[in-house]
Amino acid sequence: MVLSALAPLSLGFHAPMTAVAPASRAAVRMQVGYVAPTAPGVAETPLARGNAPLGIDSSILVQGGSLRTWSYRSPSVEQVQVVLSTEGRPLDADIELWQGPDNTPCKMRVYVENGQLRPFSAVVETPRGPNTIAIRNIGQVEFPLAANVVADNVDAPSAECLDTRMTIQGGALRTYPFDPTVDSVQVLLKTDGRPLNARIELLQGPNNNKQVIELYTEDGLDRPFFCILETPGSGNVVRVVNTAPVEFPMTAGVVPNSINQEMSSSAVLGGDVVIGGDVGW
């Protein structure tokens, strides 16, 4: 009798469930790419299929010391654009292109002093898929970054950038100073089919690196490098160094991308100080 009386109680017992705050659910869904189910009879929208429509940020948060990958199986995807940014903290990341087992035809190391003021944006060539873009945040846990990789509406070098390319021999460097009215700069590096090893630096002041890119590409003709550097403020100089031996020359095109017509290039009272030059006393 006692056992028969206790059996229903044991079967009907349920452990108390811990309540989860709505904010926690939203954070988990954002991290794992949660897609809300559609109601019966309602047509599936692009958002429900996982394709973010225009105007919605599709960036993924990459914590310090972690790795995120974007895979493209279709061979029709011939290039992708990688955009990295932070909330104002330094940015330190490794970007690699994986094609097949143990094959890394392109890799770069990126450092930015302020990922909000100068976000990193570069185009990676991905011919003959499938390809995988790997982004590793090599900074500490206090320095997360937002990464976004897109295969449509990719930036392309302008005609001026293609026409003004100059040869940089192995071990040589070339500097490109820019006016304060220039807000961003296009950088295009290419070879005749030989490997490409280069370092791109954005300087603002003597030996003051605001952004550094160390680049390797196994074929500079099949996989040229193109990026856009943000150059706010005055005194910006882009320095391109060919770190390869003398047998591996490359061509570099560095031209303004966007110009702020409202900014004056002359000194302003209380702003930049100009020392030297012709001064009328």
Side-chain angles (χ1 to χ4, degrees):
M1 296 293 293
V2 175
L3 293 177
S4 61
L6 292 177
L9 296 177
S10 61
L11 293 176
F13 175 76
H14 296 282
M17 297 181 63
T18 304
V20 180
S24 301
R25 294 195 190 100
V28 172
R29 292 174 179 177
M30 180 182 66
Q31 291 291 335
V32 302
Y34 174 83
V35 178
T38 56
V42 178
E44 189 181 23
T45 62
L47 182 59
R49 292 195 303 269
N51 300 325
L54 296 177
I56 294 182
D57 187 11
S58 59
S59 300
I60 294 180
L61 187 66
V62 183
Q63 299 290 345
S66 61
L67 170 70
R68 292 292 183 271
T69 60
W70 287 258
S71 297
Y72 297 91
R73 299 183 180 273
S74 174
S76 61
V77 179
E78 296 185 348
Q79 57 183 2
V80 297
Q81 185 162 356
V82 179
V83 180
L84 306 180
S85 61
T86 66
E87 294 182 349
R89 303 187 182 188
L91 187 154
D92 200 356
D94 274 337
I95 304 173
E96 295 182 350
L97 171 63
W98 297 344
Q99 188 180 46
D102 298 328
N103 182 24
T104 308
C106 178
K107 57 184 177 181
M108 63 190 79
R109 169 80 177 268
V110 179
Y111 166 78
V112 183
E113 183 185 69
N114 188 333
Q116 184 179 32
L117 187 62
R118 299 177 181 85
F120 172 78
S121 176
V123 176
V124 179
E125 299 292 332
T126 58
R128 299 176 299 278
N131 295 276
T132 297
I133 300 293
I135 299 178
R136 184 186 301 274
N137 186 351
I138 58 178
Q140 299 180 357
V141 68
E142 296 86 2
F143 303 100
L145 63 87
N148 192 12
V149 180
V150 295
D152 52 350
N153 298 326
V154 177
D155 292 335
S158 62
E160 181 186 2
C161 186
L162 295 171
D163 296 338
T164 58
R165 289 182 299 158
M166 303 182 67
T167 301
I168 302 179
Q169 299 293 339
L173 65 87
R174 190 176 295 274
T175 58
Y176 303 85
F178 288 96
D179 195 76
T181 58
V182 177
D183 285 341
S184 61
V185 173
Q186 297 183 18
V187 179
L188 175 63
L189 304 183
K190 200 171 184 179
T191 67
D192 58 357
R194 308 183 192 190
L196 172 62
N197 288 273
R199 185 172 71 249
I200 305 170
E201 302 176 358
L202 174 61
L203 306 173
Q204 195 174 31
N207 295 325
N208 186 11
N209 287 326
K210 298 297 184 179
Q211 185 168 346
V212 180
I213 304 171
E214 295 181 354
L215 170 69
Y216 163 76
T217 299
E218 69 174 7
D219 189 338
L221 180 63
D222 194 25
R223 305 176 189 273
F225 176 76
F226 176 71
C227 71
I228 295 180
L229 304 178
E230 300 294 331
T231 57
S234 60
N236 291 287
V237 177
V238 176
R239 179 165 59 187
V240 180
V241 184
N242 188 348
T243 57
V246 69
E247 297 85 2
F248 301 94
M250 70 176 184
T251 59
V254 183
V255 297
N257 179 62
S258 62
I259 298 178
N260 186 359
Q261 301 290 349
E262 299 179 357
M263 178 181 294
S264 175
S265 59
S266 59
V268 180
L269 183 62
D272 299 331
V273 178
V274 179
I275 301 177
D278 295 330
V279 181
W281 294 94

